[in-house]
Amino acid sequence: AAKRAGQAYRRWDPALDEQSTGHARLGAEMRIALDTGQFQVVYQPIVAYPEGRVAAVEALVRWEHPQRGTVSPAQFVPVAEQNGLIIELGAWILRTACRRMARWRAELGGSAPDKVSVNVSARQLAGPGFATTVADILAETGLPPHHLAVEVTETSVFEGGQAVTTLHELRKIGVQIALDDFGTGHSSLGLLQTVPVDILKVDKSFVDNVTEAGRHSVIAEALIQISTELGMTAVAEGVETAEQADALHQLGYTLLQGYHFSRPLAEPDFGRRPTTTGGM
Ligand code: C2E
Ligand code: CA
Ligand code: CA
Ligand code: CA
């Protein structure tokens, strides 16, 4: 039998098959979850160090599935990207976070965080309507634009479509742009030449070994220098110990986020955070 190239390699893979039906099921359940209120937004403090004030919060989505329990966003966000539901889910997350932030500003005044940072995925950013969606949500919730940042990754920017144009539009209306997982992509530095970035989120992988002399602390130091020179704000992600916090402080970092300060919570506490080594 004649086999054309490409066909010869197409074999039935039970694992792949399993995965795709699993995705389809998860996708269908996500539709129901959105309609029945199974999604929740939690907020992780970003702390001004060493003062301990909560300067900002990152909004993170959670799915409380009635049978499966808590499903990780690392699991369902990629599925929502694939089936397109991320457009509706993403808008819901954005609206929820902006409404919440507007309420904190109204209730807590000066003790409220300055900013809520919301993760935005490639597919949301690629479409033509995203800047308008954001503007509408800000108008609807009454949140002034400078209290919102959108977190994008290098991959989501490079996936193209309208992404770069959209980021410029968002910047123009006063929304800040945060580059997430910075340093883990292939051309993180190159991206800084084409995309207007206000906030660099230095990836946890550089924070993990920052207390040891060696390449990670050298990179962490280079990244804070670059962000300062370019007029950006650096946030160190995934800070788990007091020693890491102090080492980052020594390098010049002033904004830290991680389990050492707080896990993401539905009701974060905006009181001051532990600041000194051994203080917990
Ligand atoms: P990310 O944007 O890089 O978010 C940081 C992740 O690290 C969060 O996991 C957070 O809970 C976790 N984290 C924070 N501090 C620490 C720490 O000290 N140690 C460790 N080991 N982890 C820490 P989460 O909430 O499970 O989210 C995973 C990823 O899913 C996010 O990574 C983001 O890419 C995506 N995601 C989460 N929420 C959303 C959302 O609302 N929209 C979109 N598009 N993606 C989201
Ligand atoms: Ca993020
Ligand atoms: Ca990140
Ligand atoms: Ca990530």
Side-chain angles (χ1 to χ4, degrees):
K3 266 187 190 158
R4 263 171 278 134
Q7 273 185 333
Y9 297 97
R10 200 177 300 151
R11 291 170 51 221
W12 180 67
D13 180 343
L16 212 66
D17 201 47
E18 178 91 343
Q19 195 192 24
S20 67
T21 56
H23 279 187
R25 197 177 307 128
L26 208 60
E29 289 177 358
M30 237 182 282
R31 175 71 263 169
I32 297 165
L34 200 52
D35 295 336
T36 59
Q38 294 171 22
F39 290 108
Q40 188 194 8
V41 179
V42 292
Y43 302 88
Q44 186 176 36
I46 297 170
V47 172
Y49 192 85
E51 308 89 283
R53 178 177 58 89
V54 177
V57 288
E58 178 176 357
L60 294 155
V61 68
R62 294 289 178 266
W63 181 5
E64 294 301 332
H65 191 287
Q67 283 89 39
R68 299 175 198 253
T70 307
V71 187
S72 163
Q75 228 179 317
F76 68 82
V77 168
V79 178
E81 276 259 309
Q82 237 170 49
N83 67 17
L85 206 66
I86 193 69
I87 300 294
E88 195 178 330
L89 177 61
W92 179 83
I93 294 165
L94 199 58
R95 191 176 304 112
T96 303
C98 288
R99 191 184 293 137
R100 191 61 188 273
M101 185 65 181
R103 195 146 54 80
W104 280 326
R105 302 286 321 163
E107 289 171 1
L108 306 171
S111 1
D114 287 332
K115 228 175 285 302
V116 63
S117 204
V118 179
N119 293 282
V120 168
S121 70
R123 188 139 171 191
Q124 284 174 282
L125 209 58
F130 186 64
T132 310
T133 301
V134 173
D136 289 349
I137 288 172
L138 288 170
E140 176 194 329
T141 59
L143 185 70
H146 64 274
H147 291 307
L148 174 67
V150 293
E151 295 198 8
V152 302
T153 62
E154 178 188 326
T155 323
S156 67
V157 175
F158 277 143
E159 255 165 54
Q162 304 283 306
V164 175
T165 312
T166 298
L167 292 178
H168 280 99
E169 286 170 5
L170 288 173
R171 193 90 167 315
K172 208 156 49 181
I173 64 175
V175 172
Q176 300 211 316
I177 313 298
L179 203 47
D180 205 357
D181 304 342
F182 190 76
T184 60
H186 294 294
S187 50
S188 299
L189 290 175
L191 199 63
L192 296 181
Q193 297 186 310
T194 42
V195 173
V197 177
D198 302 287
I199 300 159
L200 272 195
K201 299 205 72 176
V202 173
D203 191 70
K204 180 178 189 302
S205 57
F206 304 110
V207 170
D208 284 341
N209 301 303
V210 76
T211 51
E212 297 155 32
R215 32 183 83 235
H216 287 89
S217 61
V218 170
I219 296 173
E221 186 170 15
L223 294 179
I224 185 76
Q225 283 167 0
I226 288 167
S227 69
T228 307
E229 295 279 322
L230 294 180
M232 303 178 294
T233 304
V235 175
E237 293 193 291
V239 181
E240 293 181 342
T241 69
E243 290 72 22
Q244 289 170 346
D246 286 337
L248 289 161
H249 175 59
Q250 294 297 316
L251 296 178
Y253 285 84
T254 59
L255 289 170
L256 309 182
Q257 178 181 5
Y259 294 168
H260 172 59
F261 299 101
S262 175
R263 291 190 175 252
L265 298 169
E267 303 283 344
D269 169 11
F270 297 127
R272 285 172 193 276
R273 303 279 135 192
T275 52
T276 51
T277 306
M280 281 195 87

